[in-house]
Amino acid sequence: MNIHNRDAAEAPDREAAAAALDVLRAWAGIASETEIAELDPAVARLLPGREVGNYPDLSRTYPEDFKSDEAYRATLPDLQNGPTSLIRGAKEQIQHVGISNFRLPIRFHTRDDGDLTLETSVTGTVSLDAGKKGINMSRIMRTFYKHAERTFSFEVMANALDDYLSDLDSPDARIQMRFSFPARVESLRSGLSGYQYYDFALELVDHDGVREKIMHLDYVYSSTCPCSLELSEHARQARGQLATPHSQRSVARISVQSVPGSQCLWFEDLIELCRKAVPTETQVMVKREDEQAFAELNAANPIFVEDAARLFCEALQGDARIGDFRVVASHQESLHSHDAVSVLTQGPLFKAMSLDPKLFSTLIHHG
């Protein structure tokens, strides 16, 4: 079947294309399956119900010898980096877009001039301008891997962030690295020692050309209720009744801003700062004398969740290397079926009227 335009020299317009499609579909209604099968596949796919059925047979054998050269890669579609016309939804800037929880072994420098290789979860994001469809997600990981063999510090993170800004053509970028840091801790009286694991995160943010270095630590401790302690002692003294105060495992998430140009705040420094503020850290190696000592230590340091926030605050205020900070404390009550929580911030960096609805539920130490 031949279809001729009235004027072969004229390029067909939308109306002519629609008319041609109507003719094709009308013909298909009376044509045989053989006639339709002989059509060019690109034409056959225009027929209703045959968008896939008439597609050419595809090979189901994996082509192990196929090589992807530069010319072939240039033909690959890239919708994520397509034009503005492909944007779905509001054409607004996205503050964070990237990948979270890609893991790899990273070397970190310690205060005693040693190196530790730790499994690290990395989150890398950039901002996306309103007029851009998307970013190349895999490029974030490839960019980070350029630095993965180095011993990490905020300086190395800064180099990776520079590459993010350049490779992804973004005005803002962020890196966060989460890991569990082991430190050997001595028992209270027996002389034994064991490894305590501390959940840390390092965060480097570049926003409008300003960089912020942030360190996060989850510090796990025991909190004995001062009210319960007093009531227990009253029962002993007034009625000769044995009673015990309630205490519970508690977690404080400490987030601190590093003051530009200040000396290094080591992981061990922040741990010791927290331990000095609230000394009832949970124990690793325990014999009977250590358990007794821990009971005495808790009785000497009973704290409400408000006390904990203020004690951590006082310690943080006393360190010149620390600028803005946030303390989020959760006492996971053994008396109640709910937790007691508090949030204390200093400075504009962490100040927020709203909180993540699941913030406190993440303050669980899984051991």
Side-chain angles (χ1 to χ4, degrees), residues 97-144:
V97 59
I99 55 177
S100 176
N101 197 34
F102 67 91
R103 296 179 295 167
L104 66 168
I106 292 291
R107 287 198 312 275
F108 294 94
H109 205 52
T110 61
R111 189 175 61 182
D112 62 1
D113 205 28
D115 282 350
L116 279 177
T117 298
L118 304 173
E119 179 183 326
T120 304
S121 168
V122 182
T123 294
T125 66
V126 296
S127 58
L128 182 65
D129 290 341
K132 292 183 178 179
K133 166 66 175 172
I135 67 167
N136 188 322
M137 295 283 182
S138 65
R139 186 172 292 176
I140 288 181
M141 184 180 291
R142 296 199 306 270
T143 299
F144 189 87

Side-chain angles (χ1 to χ4, degrees), residues 347-362:
L349 183 60
F350 297 105
K351 187 176 182 179
M353 297 300 293
S354 175
L355 294 176
D356 182 337
K358 294 190 176 181
L359 170 64
F360 298 112
S361 66
T362 67

Side-chain angles (χ1 to χ4, degrees), residues 55-66:
Y55 201 79
D57 288 338
L58 303 177
S59 172
R60 294 180 178 271
T61 303
Y62 177 71
E64 294 184 3
D65 297 330
F66 177 76

